[in-house]
Amino acid sequence: MLKNTYLFKLSGSHDLEYGDLIPIEESDTIPFVIRRVYYIYNVPSASSRGYHSHRNLNQVLICVHGSVRMVLKTPDKTEEVILNDPSQALYIGPMVWREMHDFSLGTVLLVLADHHYDKSDYIRNFDQYISEARKYFAGEADSK
Ligand code: TYD
């Protein structure tokens, strides 16, 4: 996977007769303190969302119903991930460009985040993103 991203499995209770349940617990399941939860739904299939990066935000995305195609980018790489399983979670850390495409009908995308909404944390211009992300990832390499 790209830097600052990974997929992980959420464990829970699965029962053919009674159905499935997945608990989400801070620190046990989610690698940060959850300060904000939001969900995206009613997205027309022709619409795409995202097209931004965050400078300093950790998020976990869970497609609790339906499916969405995530396009993730860092300055040197692009990766696609289909989220279509409520027991699968996608971690996205700082400085990863994300786009959301191809929402299927009825999709609900749950997002957990470690900071309150902060407009100034967004980078919405791709050229600006590339410029800041190059410095960010170069700094990371230097500090290793
Ligand atoms: P945005 O993050 O741009 O959505 P997406 O990346 O899915 O396209 O947010 C869309 C709008 O919702 C924008 O006007 C800001 C607002 N918003 C909040 O008020 N609080 C939040 O926690 C989030 C994520 C968005």
Side-chain angles (χ1 to χ4, degrees):
M1 294 279 302
L2 293 187
K3 282 190 172 168
N4 288 8
T5 69
Y6 59 85
L7 280 165
F8 61 102
K9 200 80 185 157
L10 300 167
S11 52
S13 146
H14 301 281
D15 190 298
L16 283 179
E17 202 174 335
Y18 296 110
D20 302 332
L21 183 153
I22 294 194
I24 294 177
E25 297 203 0
E26 187 173 282
S27 78
D28 256 9
T29 324
I30 303 300
F32 50 74
V33 174
I34 301 167
R35 295 218 172 76
R36 178 163 52 113
V37 175
Y38 62 93
Y39 40 96
I40 296 171
Y41 63 107
N42 272 346
V43 182
S45 61
S47 291
S48 295
R49 303 185 60 113
Y51 295 96
H52 66 256
S53 161
H54 289 280
R55 294 187 174 91
N56 179 32
L57 185 70
N58 293 290
Q59 293 181 304
V60 166
L61 282 67
I62 302 162
C63 189
V64 292
H65 184 72
S67 105
V68 57
R69 180 170 62 90
M70 301 293 307
V71 174
L72 306 169
K73 296 183 186 177
T74 52
D76 303 320
K77 279 192 188 153
T78 297
E79 190 155 315
E80 288 201 8
V81 177
I82 308 275
L83 295 179
N84 60 1
D85 175 352
S87 70
Q88 187 184 46
L90 171 65
Y91 165 80
I92 306 180
M95 282 298 180
V96 177
W97 185 264
R98 87 285 314 271
E99 299 168 10
M100 292 162 261
H101 302 277
D102 301 339
F103 283 81
S104 68
L105 190 68
T107 292
V108 183
L109 182 65
L110 178 69
V111 184
L112 315 174
D114 71 340
H115 289 289
H116 289 190
Y117 176 69
D118 174 8
K119 206 175 163 189
S120 69
D121 186 57
Y122 280 71
I123 308 172
R124 291 192 182 273
N125 176 287
F126 191 67
D127 291 341
Q128 173 72 21
Y129 163 71
I130 292 292
S131 152
E132 287 193 35
R134 281 203 197 288
K135 288 180 202 143
Y136 170 86
F137 286 111
E140 267 208 330
D142 289 347
S143 65
K144 275 182 189 151

